[in-house]
Amino acid sequence: QALCAALGNHAFGIEVAGKTLKANRWTAKLLREKIAAAPHALTMPLDFALAGRESTARLLQTSLDALPDDARAVFFACGAFFAPRITAEMIMRFFVGKPEVTDEMLANVRSSVPEAAQMSDDELRPQIERALAQQPVDVTSADTALTTLALHGLLTPIPASSDAVASVRLHDLAYSYASAQADAGQRKRALVACLAYVARYNAPSLPNFAALRPELDNLLRAADWAAANGHDAAVEQFAWDLYATGSEYLDLGGFSAQATRLLEQAAAAAGRGGNKRDQGAHLGNLGNAYSDLGQVERAIEYHEQALAISREIGNKRSEGNHLGNLGLAYSDLGQVERALEYYEQSLAISREIGDKRNEGNQLGNLGLAYSALGQVERALEYYEQSLAIRREIGDKRGEGADLGNLGLAYRAVGQVERAIEHYEQALAIARAIGDRRAEGSILGNLGNAYRELGQVERALEYHEQALAIRRAIGDRMGESNDLNNLGVVYEENLHDYPRALDYYQQALAIYRQIGAQHHVATVERNIAIVQGKMGGGAEQ
């Protein structure tokens, strides 16, 4: 009772005390004496100033003093990172540190890689460092230390799941205490570890996404710290690896809201460094992220800034990409003819410079535009041309998009079974590359297709699966689309008007919240219709 009172009856303190007693076979009296005698050499964070928490801080120090050296070192290493959840591999990368590139390595690479022969040391060294960082590390010692810390109540193991590898999470007070001990040098070492970690998992795949998921908060906060402390190159590297040219996890995983802050930081970093090309690329990606959030007018502002920069520096490839993105944005606003103009300009540039990837993109976009204008046969021609290019260059994400678009077109001409065949192929690709946003979209389309075939229960299953994915990845636009689709099923197929109204109202609230005004009117019309049916005494 005296020990609990000394700890302010704080649940975390009592848990650590109990596990410390068990691990060390101490009596409560002995532990209380040790807490009272604990020195104050370590920094105590502000959140320990509350009643009873100073004793908890002393308890933590007492518990740590009784630990083996390696476990104590791992505990304080966790505090150098930027979030309380962490993996054993990330901890080991902290201790491994930045890879050392020797003169011998430089010479060997130059002799074995022809294109490296003309590169300076400053150009070649970062590439070798990145290659070394991509090598796996042995996590055995970190796992052992983490198990010891868990036995003392200082952290909680989080087992692996279908979308995340195993990790641990320090209690908020334990993390606060460990974090207060970290200096700028240790933070920079943690930053290097974070950069090495994203380099290791730098390609779209489900295993890579599972490795990145538990570290996402840590990585994004590392970028915040880098931006605040002048590490501009690190900020940009996070943006490339997590959104654009690396794993694309923030994009493919649907983390658009988190991406906007990182991309804004990266654009500002590139601007400070006078790198117009990269600044334009980050601004264009920022526009894409805002489009995914349904904030299309804001997206257009960023795309126009990016387009102006590409023309200023004469970068035709980027100019073509930004024109295509502007077309997509205007299409989202319902201005299809204007979108067509941008697509045609982009397609002409891509063919002029031989940019096959963007050529495929714009052919697919032209298909979407003509489909929206009701010219489905013409749309099918563009989709088939695009699909051939995607397969030629191995663009799996683009291939999946074209297959999904072909499904939409075949549905539009009444060939629903053929549409489902294309959707199933697109779904397999989305799952293979871990494209969660595409997976949710295709599941929703499958739901619509089965509804048209009169298979209502199966349609509901697909819509529910789609909704679950959208919510899991934070895709608000997709979530509202799925809610509206569910409303349609309950209204038109099941005649359950109260439930249909509930789904429509949920969708409307999200559309308004994210500023997707071009969808608001449609859902308001759906709500008016279903309210009319309810008021008219229709079946409920």
Side-chain angles (χ1 to χ4, degrees):
Q1 289 176 348
L3 176 59
C4 291
L7 296 171
N9 290 309
H10 190 273
F12 171 63
I14 292 172
E15 179 185 356
V16 173
K19 291 181 176 179
T20 300
L21 292 175
K22 180 178 181 180
N24 296 288
R25 298 186 178 182
W26 292 344
T27 65
K29 179 180 179 181
L30 177 59
L31 177 56
R32 190 156 60 93
E33 290 172 351
K34 287 181 176 289
I35 292 172
H40 296 278
L42 297 179
T43 303
M44 185 173 72
L46 292 177
D47 53 1
F48 279 93
L50 301 176
R53 290 196 178 181
E54 183 175 355
S55 293
T56 302
R58 293 183 180 183
L59 167 64
L60 286 173
Q61 186 173 336
T62 301
S63 180
L64 289 167
D65 287 343
L67 291 176
D69 290 345
D70 57 346
R72 188 162 52 250
V74 165
F75 176 79
F76 287 116
C78 291
F81 284 92
F82 309 94
R85 185 176 178 183
I86 197 165
T87 60
E89 179 179 344
M90 185 69 85
I91 292 168
M92 285 308 304
R93 291 192 178 278
F94 176 87
F95 290 109
V96 169
K98 189 174 183 178
E100 181 182 355
V101 179
T102 65
D103 291 341
E104 183 181 358
M105 289 182 185
L106 291 167
N108 288 338
V109 171
R110 284 198 176 95
S111 64
S112 58
V113 182
E115 53 268 31
Q118 305 303 318
M119 297 175 66
S120 68
D121 285 1
D122 289 342
E123 292 172 325
L124 187 55
R125 192 179 301 275
Q127 296 189 27
I128 298 176
E129 287 176 350
R130 188 168 175 82
L132 292 172
Q134 292 172 338
Q135 299 302 309
V137 295
D138 184 357
V139 300
T140 304
S141 59
D143 279 333
T144 301
L146 292 173
T147 300
T148 301
L149 292 170
L151 290 172
H152 283 74
L154 297 171
L155 54 81
T156 301
I158 302 175
S161 64
S162 60
D163 65 345
V165 298
S167 59
V168 299
R169 192 187 192 285
L170 273 68
H171 185 282
D172 288 343
L173 282 179
Y175 174 70
S176 177
Y177 183 74
S179 182
Q181 321 307 323
D183 58 26
Q186 291 167 312
R187 295 278 188 222
K188 188 172 181 180
R189 193 176 184 90
L191 176 65
V192 169
C194 289
L195 290 168
Y197 194 90
V198 294
R200 166 83 170 129
Y201 299 104
N202 195 38
S205 72
L206 292 177
N208 284 356
F209 289 171
L212 290 168
R213 184 66 189 94
E215 293 290 0
L216 186 56
D217 286 345
N218 183 34
L219 297 172
L220 293 174
R221 292 181 192 178
D224 288 342
W225 185 87
N229 289 273
H231 300 290
D232 285 345
V235 176
E236 286 203 71
Q237 195 62 58
F238 280 124
W240 294 126
D241 285 346
L242 292 175
Y243 188 87
T245 58
S247 71
E248 304 175 45
Y249 182 48
L250 294 179
D251 184 21
L252 296 178
F255 297 100
S256 299
Q258 294 89 332
T260 56
R261 178 175 176 81
L262 176 59
L263 293 169
E264 285 169 355
Q265 292 170 334
R272 285 191 295 270
N275 189 332
K276 289 283 192 179
R277 185 192 64 180
D278 287 357
Q279 183 183 18
H282 295 313
L283 289 169
N285 288 332
L286 192 53
N288 292 335
Y290 275 113
S291 281
D292 291 335
L293 291 171
Q295 300 181 35
V296 185
E297 290 83 359
R298 193 167 185 183
I300 288 173
E301 293 176 10
Y302 284 112
H303 287 315
E304 288 177 340
Q305 292 178 47
L307 179 62
I309 289 175
S310 67
R311 285 173 170 167
E312 175 189 345
I313 63 177
N315 189 330
K316 298 293 285 185
R317 183 181 296 270
S318 293
E319 181 182 355
N321 290 334
H322 299 317
L323 285 165
N325 287 334
L326 276 165
L328 288 171
Y330 279 109
S331 180
D332 285 342
L333 292 177
Q335 300 181 32
V336 183
E337 288 80 3
R338 191 169 185 182
L340 275 171
E341 295 175 8
Y342 283 112
Y343 296 150
E344 291 288 1
Q345 293 178 56
S346 179
L347 180 61
I349 289 174
S350 66
R351 284 174 169 168
E352 174 190 344
I353 65 175
D355 184 351
K356 299 291 285 185
R357 182 177 294 273
N358 193 53
E359 182 181 358
N361 289 341
Q362 301 319 312
L363 288 167
N365 289 339
L366 283 164
L368 288 171
Y370 281 110
S371 182
L373 292 172
Q375 302 181 36
V376 182
E377 293 300 327
R378 192 169 183 182
L380 283 168
E381 294 175 8
Y382 279 114
Y383 290 145
E384 292 291 356
Q385 292 178 53
S386 176
L387 182 60
I389 290 175
R390 312 284 203 176
R391 287 173 170 167
E392 175 190 344
I393 65 175
D395 179 3
K396 298 300 288 184
R397 188 181 184 189
E399 180 183 353
D402 287 332
L403 288 166
N405 289 334
L406 281 163
L408 290 172
Y410 283 119
R411 269 181 55 213
V413 295
Q415 299 184 38
V416 183
E417 290 84 356
R418 193 168 183 184
I420 289 174
E421 292 176 8
H422 285 83
Y423 288 149
E424 293 287 359
Q425 294 177 55
L427 182 62
I429 290 174
R431 286 173 169 167
I433 67 174
D435 189 342
R436 296 283 280 169
R437 182 185 290 113
E439 182 181 359
S441 178
I442 297 162
L443 288 167
N445 287 334
L446 280 165
N448 290 331
Y450 280 108
R451 182 180 70 83
E452 291 171 9
L453 291 177
Q455 299 183 33
V456 181
E457 293 302 322
R458 196 164 186 182
L460 284 174
E461 291 176 9
Y462 280 116
H463 284 314
E464 293 288 357
Q465 290 178 52
L467 181 61
I469 289 175
R470 311 283 203 169
R471 285 174 169 167
I473 66 176
D475 181 357
R476 299 289 280 164
M477 176 66 79
E479 179 184 357
S480 48
N481 291 342
D482 293 326
L483 289 165
N484 185 66
N485 286 335
L486 283 163
V488 170
V489 175
Y490 280 103
E491 177 195 353
E492 297 184 3
N493 298 87
L494 297 175
H495 310 298
D496 185 342
Y497 301 125
R499 194 160 185 183
L501 181 62
D502 178 54
Y503 280 119
Y504 287 147
Q505 288 173 334
Q506 290 182 60
L508 180 62
I510 296 174
Y511 283 137
R512 285 174 171 167
Q513 184 181 38
I514 64 178
Q517 294 302 320
H518 50 299
H519 288 289
V520 168
T522 300
V523 183
E524 286 179 337
R525 184 170 61 252
N526 290 345
I527 288 174
I529 291 171
V530 82
Q531 286 176 332
K533 292 177 179 178
M534 293 172 69
E539 179 185 351
Q540 297 181 23

